[in-house]
Amino acid sequence: MKQAIPIDYFEPFTELPAQFVEHSDRIYSFRLGMNRAMVLRTSDGLAVFDSFNKNFSKALSTELQKRFPELPVRWLIYSHNHLDHIRGGAYLSPETVVGHIEINHLIQDWEHPLNEVLPVTKPIEGDTSLKLGDQIVHFLYMPKSHSSTLYGFYIESENTVFAPDMMFVNTFPPFGLPDWYYPGYIRALDRLIGLNAKTYIPSHFNEGNKADLINYRNMMVDFREVVAREMAKLDYEPDQGAKLRAIFDVAYPELQKKYGHWHGFHAMFIPHFAGQVGGTYLGY
Ligand SMILES: [Zn+2]
């Protein structure tokens, strides 16, 4: 049973050295371990999109002071309320923390010294565009997708999208992407794809491009459709474990043929499979 808990999914990324990428002369990203923040350089300072955790923010702060000694972090922007994205912001000393209006309320449920979460000081809701220094950032609200507070970001002048938890490059998202609603999530991915941006930056794992985002979207749709098709064929009900095993026997090789070479296919197949069965049956 223990073998369903992978030890080769996060580990290869934990061992990598930190990486600072210049996507343009205004847009950068910083990856440490599996997490990647986007940084926007404006006339009035830096905007950092997601702080992740204490170690990440400390390392990013050191990197930014080295590269941009004149420019403070003026804005910290939270993509959504999930704690793995919003801890440790104090190490960046931002003047303003921007995020969905529900975030301050939601973090109250998770009082814990480990959280170390700076509260939102500029709450937003729905689609919003903010002028940060000389740059305009479009905040694209993705309702009923992944959490209730998720934003994608489009920097029009740089034709760049930051796609937090909405883009995984040839990689299965961890543990079946907990906290997601399938129809809204696919709508969110399609909205980002429809922007047809030059640069797409994911918040986890490797860099990629628009084709990688499309491949990821198609994998999530394929997985759901294969599972739903086989469930319908066998007229599956939850008290029928033998039927579920028969569904697995069809879904696994069919998806392996297309996605067996992706990172995390084997490590994360079982939680994805369970999530897709539950989502199909319950309607989420
Ligand atoms: Zn998340």
Side-chain angles (χ1 to χ4, degrees):
M1 202 130 64
K2 220 162 59 177
Q3 288 182 349
I5 302 168
I7 51 170
D8 59 353
Y9 179 74
F10 300 108
E11 284 75 0
F13 289 86
T14 329
E15 287 155 15
L16 293 175
Q19 177 197 34
F20 190 89
V21 183
E22 294 194 28
H23 298 277
S24 73
D25 61 1
R26 293 207 162 274
I27 304 259
Y28 315 91
S29 70
F30 178 74
R31 185 195 50 70
L32 181 65
M34 65 174 287
N35 299 318
R36 182 188 302 274
M38 184 175 80
V39 178
L40 171 66
R41 188 170 59 82
T42 82
S43 55
D44 292 358
L46 302 169
V48 170
F49 295 72
D50 283 344
S51 50
F52 296 100
N53 56 57
K54 189 171 94 177
N55 284 345
F56 185 97
S57 286
K58 266 187 184 169
L60 175 55
S61 177
T62 305
E63 187 75 31
L64 293 176
Q65 280 166 29
K66 198 176 78 193
R67 288 177 184 267
F68 310 105
E70 320 280 275
L71 291 175
V73 174
R74 182 95 187 268
W75 304 273
L76 170 60
I77 294 152
Y78 292 154
S79 61
H80 60 309
N81 64 293
H82 285 163
L83 296 173
D84 64 320
H85 283 252
I86 64 175
R87 290 181 175 124
Y91 291 92
L92 294 161
S93 312
E95 196 175 288
T96 305
V97 181
V98 186
H100 190 271
I101 194 164
E102 283 178 15
I103 291 180
N104 285 352
H105 173 70
L106 287 165
I107 57 179
Q108 300 297 315
D109 285 334
W110 307 101
E111 280 295 341
H112 189 284
L114 264 182
N115 292 354
E116 299 167 345
V117 177
L118 285 183
V120 169
T121 58
K122 185 172 175 50
I124 52 168
E125 58 186 321
D127 284 351
T128 305
S129 296
L130 292 183
K131 200 156 183 280
L132 308 180
D134 56 352
Q135 295 297 304
I136 292 172
V137 178
H138 300 292
F139 290 64
L140 311 174
Y141 181 53
M142 304 301 195
K144 295 188 180 66
S145 59
H146 171 74
S147 83
S148 59
T149 59
L150 183 67
Y151 278 96
F153 303 93
Y154 181 44
I155 290 92
E156 207 173 332
S157 66
E158 303 297 312
N159 204 4
T160 294
V161 165
F162 182 48
D165 285 358
M166 287 179 279
M167 175 178 180
F168 293 82
V169 176
N170 294 335
T171 295
F172 276 68
F175 301 108
L177 198 71
D179 190 2
W180 69 308
Y181 178 70
Y182 173 79
Y185 188 65
I186 300 303
R187 280 193 286 270
L189 304 191
D190 285 340
R191 189 176 185 199
L192 296 184
I193 291 165
L195 293 168
N196 201 21
K198 190 176 84 185
T199 307
Y200 285 86
I201 302 174
S203 63
H204 297 293
F205 301 114
N206 286 327
E207 291 179 80
N209 53 36
K210 186 183 164 195
D212 295 307
L213 173 57
I214 293 171
N215 290 341
Y216 171 68
R217 181 252 185 226
N218 291 343
M219 181 279 290
M220 293 300 260
V221 171
D222 278 348
F223 208 129
R224 171 61 61 112
E225 285 180 352
V226 167
V227 167
R229 182 195 70 210
E230 292 306 307
M231 285 171 69
K233 219 186 265 176
L234 296 186
D235 210 8
Y236 168 77
E237 288 294 328
D239 59 350
Q240 300 167 327
K243 279 190 185 173
L244 197 52
R245 289 185 177 195
I247 293 165
F248 178 95
D249 285 342
V250 174
Y252 184 81
E254 187 171 333
L255 291 164
Q256 188 186 24
K257 218 180 289 166
K258 280 175 100 169
Y259 304 107
H261 60 292
W262 282 31
H263 180 68
F265 176 82
H266 292 280
M268 293 300 168
F269 190 89
I270 291 291
H272 269 272
F273 180 74
Q276 299 285 17
V277 171
T280 302
Y281 194 77
L282 274 70
Y284 69 84

